[in-house]
Amino acid sequence: MRLQNRTDLALESYESADRTKLDGVIVKEGEKVTTVEVINEKGAEALGKPVGKYITYNVPSFVNDTDIFDGRLNETADLLRTLLPEGITSVLVAGIGNQSITADALGPRCSGYVLATRHIIGDETLSALGTFFNVSSITTGVLGDTGIETVELIRGAVSQTEPSCVIVVDALAASSVDRLGNTLQLSDSGISPGSGVGNHRHEISESTIGVPVVSIGIPTVISAGTTDKNGAPFFVTPREIDKVILHGAKLIGMTVNVCLQKSFTAEELFSLVG
């Protein structure tokens, strides 16, 4: 029986099953990191999540903390490395969401911290600084503004830049208030924008864009448990959501940089984008 949860977090889907053993689902729990791996279609049906690996990383709250150099940056970069395909030579980072709605602006804000290097690869002057990994970055906007599905925009960028992998950054929905602003989920299964809030768009995955997709997100909203007069659900977000988005976007953008740009220290990379 498929679980119906208003959440994007695989860990919460597992918890809603009372942590019972699910056929096709392997869970490894740690102090700060929990990995939920859906290994077959039975597991996907039981958990309501596509086949793939989902890593939940608990971090200090983004509301009161601004220091990303306290260890979490390197830890998050190490987690991201475990999900990237071996032998990649280039990456496209796609920040998705609505810049005008703070709780949905994680992806667009994150793009400002990603070091894009595709245009300088081969530049002899800059090569003296170190070896740059090939990274391109886009912000997709939303269908209501562009008239174009997010997956179509990413597919078009993929056809032009030909990356080995796409990293998608998006805000997530959770079912527990305790996970707002202090949790990251990383996954190699792709992403379905808006699924956690009932606004399903076309999925962004290897099957739809042609290259492996890794997603990173932070829960920014939970269901209020009530609906409007038309039956549409209400969602609530923390009062300090602006800080959550600012600091969360910085951590994720820098995570991508530290993970890929191995010729530079975290401090050097932050000086280039921060």
Side-chain angles (χ1 to χ4, degrees), residues 40-54:
N40 56 36
E41 291 305 321
K42 284 187 177 180
E45 181 68 19
L47 205 65
K49 303 294 180 185
V51 171
K53 184 180 292 186
Y54 302 81

Side-chain angles (χ1 to χ4, degrees), residues 15-234:
E15 290 172 341
S16 70
D18 296 324
R19 297 178 180 268
T20 57
K21 183 176 181 180
L22 299 176
D23 188 16
V25 179
I26 300 173
V27 180
K28 297 179 181 178
E29 297 186 79
E31 182 180 354
K32 294 191 293 183
V33 178
T34 300
T35 301
V36 177
E37 188 169 4
V38 181
I39 60 175
N40 56 36
E41 291 305 321
K42 284 187 177 180
E45 181 68 19
L47 205 65
K49 303 294 180 185
V51 171
K53 184 180 292 186
Y54 302 81
I55 301 174
T56 303
Y57 178 42
N58 296 319
V59 298
S61 173
F62 292 116
V63 173
N64 300 315
D65 189 54
T66 61
D67 185 8
I68 62 173
F69 299 106
D70 59 1
R72 79 184 79 174
L73 177 54
N74 289 329
E75 290 175 355
T76 311
D78 288 342
L79 292 174
L80 177 58
R81 288 190 187 99
T82 68
L83 297 178
L84 294 175
E86 293 184 4
I88 59 173
T89 58
S90 61
V91 163
L92 169 67
V93 182
I96 66 178
N98 192 334
Q99 176 76 40
S100 300
I101 300 176
T102 304
D104 195 33
L106 180 68
R109 300 280 178 84
C110 176
S111 295
Y113 290 100
V114 173
L115 180 62
T117 60
R118 180 173 177 265
H119 59 300
I120 61 175
I121 296 296
D123 188 309
E124 294 183 0
T125 302
L126 293 174
S127 65
L129 300 176
T131 302
F132 288 97
F133 186 87
N134 188 328
V135 177
S136 49
S137 176
I138 62 169
T139 300
T140 63
V142 291
L143 180 64
D145 292 333
T146 65
I148 309 171
E149 287 282 359
T150 298
V151 68
E152 294 175 326
L153 288 168
I154 295 177
R155 192 157 48 213
V158 166
S159 70
Q160 293 299 310
T161 62
E162 300 182 338
S164 302
C165 175
V166 171
I167 298 175
V168 177
V169 182
D170 192 17
L172 305 176
S175 61
S176 169
V177 67
D178 294 333
R179 288 206 167 92
L180 294 180
N182 60 7
T183 304
L184 283 91
Q185 178 174 270
L186 302 90
S187 175
D188 62 2
S189 68
I191 192 171
S192 295
S195 60
V197 295
N199 182 29
H200 296 266
R201 308 310 314 166
H202 296 291
E203 73 172 42
I204 303 164
S205 65
E206 184 170 7
S207 64
T208 60
I209 67 172
V211 296
V213 176
V214 173
S215 64
I216 310 177
I218 296 171
T220 61
V221 297
I222 61 170
S223 172
T226 186
T227 60
D228 62 19
K229 62 181 181 180
N230 298 315
F234 282 114

